[in-house]
Amino acid sequence: MSLESQLLQFLFAGLTLGSIYALIALGFVTIYNVTGIVNFAQGDFAMLGALITVTLYQRTGIFNRVITVNLQLPLPLAILLAVVLTTLIGVVLYLIAIRPARGASVISLIIITIGASIALRGLGLIVWWTDPYPLPVFTPGPPIEIAGAVLTRQNVWVIGTMVAIVVGLYLFFEHTLLGKALRACAVNREAARLMGIKADHMALFSFALGAAVSAIAGIVITPSTFMAYDSGTLLSLKGFVAAIMGGLTNAPLAVAGGLVLGLVEAFGAGLLSSAYKDAFAFLTMFVILLLRAGGVFGQRLAEA
Amino acid sequence: MSAQTVAPQPVVEPRAQSGNLVLEARRIHKVFGGLVAVNNLSFSVFEGEILSIIGPNGAGKTTVFNLLTGVLPLDGGEIWFRGRKLNGLPPHAIARLGMARTFQTVHIFENMTVLENVMIGRHPRSRYGFVEAAFQLPWARKEEQAIRQHAMACLELVGIADLAGELAGNLPFGQQRLVELARALATEPTCLLLDEPASGLSHQEVVELDALIRRLRDEQGITVLLIEHDMNLVMGIADRIVVINYGEKIAEGAPEEIQQNERVIAAYLGEDV
Amino acid sequence: MSAANSSVLSRRLHVTRWAAKHNNLTAFVTLALVLALLPFWVTNNYHRSILVFIGFNTMLTVGLSLLMGYTGQISLGHAVFFGCGAYITGLLTTRYNWSPVLAILAAAVLTGLLAYMIGIPIFRLRGHYLAMATLGLNIIFETVVVTETKWTGGPNGLLGIPRLNIGPWVLKSELSYYYLVWAVTLAVLAVSLNIVNSRVGRALRAIHASELAASTMGVEVDTFKLKVLTLSAVYASLAGSLFAFYLQIVTPSSFSFIVSIELVVMVAVGGLSSIWGAIFGAASITLLGEALRNIMPRLVRGASAEAELLAFGAILVIIMIFMPDGLTAGIVQWLRNVRRSGQRQAERAKQSPDAVT
């Protein structure tokens, strides 16, 4: 393979990974904007979405193979149901863990969402054990070859899904009443409340939306990477890294951040060392965080 | 300033008015995201005086305090304090030099007792650190004793010694303000910056505050910089007044002069008070 | 305020302080005695090993409690320093034949230095960012340890660590490690208790309550954060070193970010506002983990011991919602409220006859 086609290959891989990170980052941004909470369980929704789809689609032994689920639903139906179920889990999580802690300190809220993430991870472990599960590619067929590099059909699905969701969310936030209400909450929670928008409902909805988007991300990536109970944590972290590029509040920048992160990881893994691909993501995070923190010591103090 | 100093020493020296320059702001400037909060502001504070900074809401008064105490970095200008340039110094270094402040929105340490709050004020005037604390070295114990005694003395000075053992967060607002004041005094300040100390206080409490501020100046020789909205308090207590609006100085002078100043009246009328 | 009145006050205060101090001393001596006698009752080696692990976790939790509970700086990567201690000790004793005691000291110094250097950039962050950055650090550490097989033995771990010897005396038995680990733990505890009840401890709590107010009162906020991080890293390193000698093998999974989160659970249970709570947190969560590992598979056929993940997550959520200052503080607060409402009722009962007449 020539160097050019190799680089092109990294580009495809990076964009695919980046699309996933972008989607998870969008979940972070949506929830943060509306509630001011960083939901560390964001990646675990992706894990749940994928593993529920697997369970509905193929014969799966769960609870350490004590129970066998043999529904074998068609893939599109399994995906739809899995997204709905994960969304419900997001809603339940909000109701039982986040809502009772409204007004808690930042450190408490961090520990709560981390606890939620660990609990979901534990739930995943109990239900699906440590096995990594695959899903079939959505549309089988030969990959697309471009200048010696290979773009699989599933890659196209992943990138296409990301674009479709970004466009969909844009239309939703710009052109629907609910979307506008959510945005109003993001701009100014107090003013939104005065205008009759129930912040509580909006917070609930933001968790539902965040869970749904993450679930979709988890489902589309599983045919290429497998999914296990513990995959959610890294997805959370990387989605967060992408989200902070937009300061946790800016959705378009978060999407761009996801893509950049995917590319850094793909090129870093390809050119430098594949073992350290996760480390590259976090080094990127340190660089961004420290650049963002630079020179604003005073401001932060004054806001304290 | 040694750690052995046990109680605030009353300064016998009479009020040296218009004498020594304690604090000087030279064309200080601060911009928040394109918005000019403090605009080339200059003023001087002399030893032993009570200088009040007034102005309509949002005039940039608290920002001035944040600049003076190093909480915010300057975007321009210089601050001189007892012959030293403060630019770039962190807040804790400025506190050590003898500048102490209170906050408009009380910032006491709610999770500590009143006495402990005030003991924190002794931090810049004491030295022992991790190692001495970890092994309870004799001089660390001795210093701890001194810290405690001085803090008690400060509580007595502001008149809340009986609250020493209370959790600061449980106190009513007015007493929290006093805790904050005692804490600031514990740092043995040359210059005390009070940010709206009377807001939220009852009439009686304001009267007591008035007397207390005078006493601090007269007995301790502390120079006081006062941001306040309560005009009765300001006009009664201040030696001089600096009026700022939109971050700029619009007037400076004795209370009687300020009351007559047309620009000041216009600025306040514009505020729809 | 009259002078006489105030001197009475200060004397009363002095007395309460004396009592508080002696309470601490009494509690400490009691704990030491109980620990010294415990092996006569706990004779089974498996149970003793659990006690040793409680010791390790106490050292780690006390340090994290200073950092998180007192100073308010979240760390989701504390296992990194634990791991540094273990791996540095392991490397020095297996590769370079250092004497164990020297290796322990070297590991503590190096880990402390590392923590200090990491702290300089990382404490420019706070809240969510600090949490994520420390978590990221833990994941980088795991990656390095798994990848650099040449040095660390990779996923299989670093093998062949010798037994600890102090001079000619070689520690072999479960019991000897029990006493050693708890002796070090008690030292860590004593040092920490002294620190929290001092000028330094006040400064740390002030930073937690308001960095703005602390810094304008002359507290060197950044320096104190760095120093407390370094101290807690040294504790963790000591725990790691002893852990390496105790198990004679160190593997990456002992230092994964899940371990860091487990430590946060322990701190949340007990140590958010008290050093004593940290022991309670370490002991209860260690025992709970062990119990789940034993009980779960018996209760539900095929249920994995790893249910502890779910349990820990749930514990974190529940404690943070209902007792954000930690379980022990929450219970103390609750008791105080009960007593106060009791007093109030008594007062009301006393007053009501007057109200009638």
Side-chain angles (χ1 to χ4, degrees):
Chain A
M1 213 190 248
S2 72
L3 182 67
E4 287 79 19
S5 53
Q6 222 172 8
L7 291 179
L8 197 60
Q9 192 66 59
F10 296 152
L11 179 72
F12 292 157
L15 288 178
T16 309
L17 275 173
S19 298
I20 297 302
Y21 302 155
L23 285 178
I24 294 177
L26 278 176
F28 270 112
V29 170
T30 306
I31 293 177
Y32 185 79
N33 269 336
V34 177
T35 64
I37 291 169
V38 171
N39 176 29
F40 284 74
Q42 210 51 33
D44 298 286
F45 291 141
M47 174 272 290
L48 287 173
L51 294 185
I52 294 174
T53 307
V54 170
T55 313
L56 297 175
Y57 171 73
Q58 64 185 36
R59 198 185 140 92
T60 316
I62 58 172
F63 291 106
N64 209 9
R65 305 200 175 74
V66 173
I67 300 169
T68 303
V69 179
N70 197 5
L71 291 170
Q72 306 211 11
L73 297 178
L75 190 59
L77 185 59
I79 291 175
L80 184 69
L81 274 176
V83 172
V84 170
L85 280 172
T86 311
T87 307
L88 283 178
I89 293 173
V91 167
V92 170
L93 180 77
Y94 172 77
L95 291 177
I96 64 171
I98 310 293
R99 201 167 77 146
R102 271 173 308 181
S105 69
V106 172
I107 202 166
S108 303
L109 285 170
I110 292 171
I111 296 178
I112 286 175
T113 64
I114 290 207
S117 163
I118 293 293
L120 289 180
R121 192 179 150 120
L123 189 71
L125 181 61
I126 291 171
V127 177
W128 291 286
W129 196 225
T130 57
D131 309 330
Y133 288 89
L135 271 175
V137 294
F138 293 179
T139 45
I144 303 151
E145 230 175 280
I146 304 165
V150 178
L151 183 66
T152 67
R153 287 168 175 241
Q154 195 60 32
N155 289 358
V156 176
W157 267 104
V158 171
I159 298 169
T161 305
M162 188 274 289
V163 171
I165 289 182
V166 168
V167 171
L169 283 178
Y170 171 78
L171 293 175
F172 168 73
F173 280 119
E174 292 295 322
H175 295 289
T176 67
L177 206 59
L178 185 57
K180 286 178 184 167
L182 276 169
R183 267 179 39 218
C185 268
V187 175
N188 186 334
R189 240 161 280 161
E190 199 49 35
R193 193 184 62 79
L194 291 174
M195 283 162 62
I197 298 169
K198 287 217 170 79
D200 188 36
H201 291 181
M202 292 302 122
L204 181 107
F205 189 78
S206 72
F207 267 81
L209 196 62
V213 171
S214 275
I216 294 170
I219 294 165
V220 289
I221 195 68
T222 303
S224 2
T225 62
F226 289 82
M227 188 68 77
Y229 81 100
D230 62 350
S231 311
T233 310
L234 272 180
L235 288 174
S236 278
L237 283 170
K238 289 177 185 170
F240 178 80
V241 174
I244 59 172
M245 296 198 202
L248 281 176
T249 53
N250 184 322
L253 274 181
V255 172
L259 295 176
V260 168
L261 186 64
L263 292 172
V264 166
E265 206 175 303
F267 280 91
L271 299 176
L272 299 168
S273 148
S274 64
Y276 280 113
K277 69 180 171 60
D278 296 334
F280 294 132
F282 293 113
L283 288 177
T284 317
M285 168 171 77
F286 288 127
V287 172
I288 299 164
L289 281 179
L290 295 176
L291 285 179
R292 289 188 67 92
V296 293
F297 176 74
Q299 253 87 348
R300 282 183 294 124
L301 259 185
E303 286 160 9
Chain B
M1 206 61 57
S2 81
Q4 269 71 30
T5 321
V6 165
Q9 300 295 318
V11 174
V12 255
E13 206 181 328
R15 278 173 58 186
Q17 195 59 299
S18 74
N20 301 327
L21 200 59
V22 171
L23 179 65
E24 193 185 6
R26 294 185 190 159
R27 300 180 66 78
I28 58 172
H29 200 72
K30 184 70 196 176
V31 184
F32 291 121
L35 207 78
V36 180
V38 176
N39 195 359
N40 285 321
L41 180 69
S42 299
F43 61 87
S44 308
V45 189
F46 296 97
E47 192 175 319
E49 75 171 334
I50 298 177
L51 175 72
S52 187
I53 298 178
I54 64 170
N57 280 324
K61 300 178 300 274
T62 297
T63 307
V64 170
F65 270 19
N66 282 337
L67 294 172
L68 293 177
T69 50
V71 170
L72 290 174
L74 283 165
D75 289 334
E78 292 176 357
I79 295 169
W80 288 77
F81 180 56
R82 297 165 75 198
R84 281 194 60 164
K85 194 171 163 186
L86 298 188
N87 293 41
L89 286 185
H92 62 82
I94 294 175
R96 204 175 274 273
L97 289 175
M99 183 128 61
R101 73 177 285 185
T102 65
F103 296 89
Q104 188 182 343
T105 50
V106 174
H107 274 272
I108 53 162
F109 307 118
E110 300 187 349
N111 52 345
M112 299 190 212
T113 66
V114 168
L115 181 63
E116 283 174 322
N117 263 273
V118 182
M119 286 168 84
I120 290 281
R122 292 306 292 159
H123 190 92
R125 302 281 170 256
S126 47
R127 292 189 47 209
Y128 83 92
F130 275 85
V131 176
E132 296 91 328
F135 300 105
Q136 291 270 301
L137 299 184
W139 71 271
R141 289 183 186 207
K142 210 170 133 193
E143 196 176 50
E144 182 74 6
Q145 200 63 33
I147 291 172
R148 185 172 299 271
Q149 280 170 13
H150 191 117
M152 260 332 272
C154 291
L155 282 176
E156 275 161 31
L157 192 66
V158 303
I160 51 170
D162 50 332
L163 299 175
E166 294 287 322
L167 209 57
N170 292 346
L171 298 182
F173 190 71
Q175 289 178 336
Q176 292 191 347
R177 281 215 182 283
L178 291 177
V179 173
E180 220 186 27
L181 183 56
R183 186 180 67 185
L185 288 174
T187 66
E188 287 176 47
T190 318
C191 186
L192 181 61
L193 279 57
L194 303 174
D195 196 346
E196 296 195 23
S199 85
L201 298 194
S202 70
H203 178 69
Q204 180 57 32
E205 285 171 324
V206 174
V207 170
E208 285 166 16
L209 180 72
D210 185 310
L212 179 59
I213 295 175
R214 285 172 200 275
R215 228 169 58 228
L216 292 177
R217 190 262 306 271
D218 296 341
E219 291 172 14
Q220 314 263 326
I222 295 173
T223 307
V224 178
L225 210 60
L226 174 73
I227 292 178
E228 190 46 69
H229 274 302
D230 184 329
M231 284 306 139
N232 285 331
L233 178 64
V234 170
M235 295 302 165
I237 203 174
D239 298 310
R240 284 189 308 131
I241 295 175
V242 169
V243 189
I244 60 176
N245 196 15
Y246 298 111
E248 283 180 69
K249 183 160 80 179
I250 59 169
E252 180 175 0
E256 313 77 62
E257 294 164 22
I258 295 299
Q259 279 166 317
Q260 308 302 322
N261 188 302
E262 282 171 19
R263 285 186 75 185
V264 177
I265 295 165
Y268 272 90
L269 285 179
E271 206 202 0
D272 295 338
V273 177
Chain C
M1 177 129 316
S2 73
N5 194 357
S6 77
S7 84
V8 168
L9 270 171
S10 72
R11 199 178 318 136
R12 195 200 311 155
L13 223 68
H14 191 75
V15 170
T16 44
R17 201 169 61 92
W18 185 86
K21 205 168 178 178
H22 285 256
N23 266 340
N24 258 342
L25 194 65
T26 317
F28 187 82
V29 171
T30 314
L31 179 70
L33 276 176
V34 168
L35 285 169
L37 299 176
L38 204 53
F40 293 100
W41 180 58
V42 181
T43 46
N44 173 316
N45 268 351
Y46 166 66
H47 291 150
R48 281 180 179 173
S49 78
I50 294 176
L51 293 177
V52 173
F53 274 96
I54 293 178
F56 292 136
N57 284 335
T58 303
M59 274 187 250
L60 293 163
T61 309
V62 166
L64 193 56
S65 166
L66 287 177
L67 184 65
M68 258 179 75
Y70 281 86
T71 323
Q73 305 302 306
I74 195 163
S75 165
L76 301 179
H78 214 60
V80 171
F81 305 122
F82 183 42
C84 280
Y87 272 102
I88 293 172
T89 311
L91 271 174
L92 289 177
T93 48
T94 54
R95 287 273 178 109
Y96 303 99
N97 293 319
W98 280 43
S99 86
V101 175
L102 268 183
I104 292 175
L105 293 178
V109 170
L110 287 173
T111 307
L113 268 176
L114 179 78
Y116 193 86
M117 283 178 340
I118 289 173
I120 292 172
I122 220 166
F123 279 139
R124 290 165 66 182
L125 311 172
R126 59 200 64 197
H128 305 118
Y129 297 108
L130 185 60
M132 275 297 183
T134 49
L135 188 47
L137 214 60
N138 208 144
I139 288 180
I140 290 180
F141 178 78
E142 281 175 73
T143 315
V144 171
V145 167
V146 170
T147 312
E148 299 301 318
T149 315
K150 209 174 67 171
W151 292 95
T152 63
N156 295 330
L158 190 64
L159 306 158
I161 299 167
R163 283 300 196 183
L164 177 63
N165 70 294
I166 300 166
W169 184 44
V170 183
L171 276 76
K172 287 200 184 109
S173 68
E174 199 69 46
L175 192 64
S176 60
Y177 279 92
Y178 168 84
Y179 279 118
L180 175 73
V181 167
W182 274 105
V184 176
T185 306
L186 285 174
V188 160
L189 202 60
V191 162
S192 307
L193 283 169
N194 281 342
I195 284 177
V196 299
N197 295 315
S198 76
R199 170 176 182 263
V200 176
R202 277 193 303 274
L204 299 179
R205 283 151 67 204
I207 292 170
H208 189 172
S210 164
E211 285 188 25
L212 171 62
S215 66
T216 54
M217 286 302 114
V219 176
E220 304 85 344
V221 172
D222 292 344
T223 316
F224 272 81
K225 283 186 192 171
L226 279 178
K227 286 186 174 169
V228 77
L229 175 70
T230 306
L231 181 71
S232 69
V234 168
Y235 290 173
S237 172
L238 285 177
S241 297
L242 296 177
F243 181 82
F245 288 120
Y246 177 64
L247 291 184
Q248 297 186 281
I249 173 177
V250 283
T251 53
S253 65
S254 307
F255 316 107
S256 81
F257 85 94
I258 290 288
V259 173
S260 290
I261 290 179
E262 238 181 272
L263 294 172
V264 171
V265 181
M266 293 176 193
V267 171
V269 165
L272 273 177
S273 46
S274 130
I275 294 290
W276 292 111
I279 309 180
F280 173 74
S284 56
I285 293 301
T286 311
L287 289 173
L288 177 71
E290 210 56 45
L292 287 175
R293 228 161 282 156
N294 288 327
I295 293 167
M296 281 308 282
R298 280 186 231 163
L299 283 182
V300 187
R301 191 172 63 92
S304 65
E306 311 287 335
E308 62 184 319
L309 267 187
L310 180 61
F312 290 160
I315 290 172
L316 268 189
V317 172
I318 291 166
I319 290 178
M320 281 300 128
I321 291 173
F322 297 106
M323 299 172 179
D325 293 329
L327 186 63
T328 43
I331 291 169
V332 168
Q333 188 60 43
W334 178 75
L335 285 175
R336 219 176 265 161
N337 288 346
V338 168
R339 208 170 51 190
R340 201 170 291 165
S341 72
Q343 279 172 356
R344 227 173 281 145
Q345 263 167 2
E347 273 166 32
R348 226 174 290 144
K350 244 190 283 171
Q351 280 168 0
S352 50
D354 300 57
V356 172
T357 51

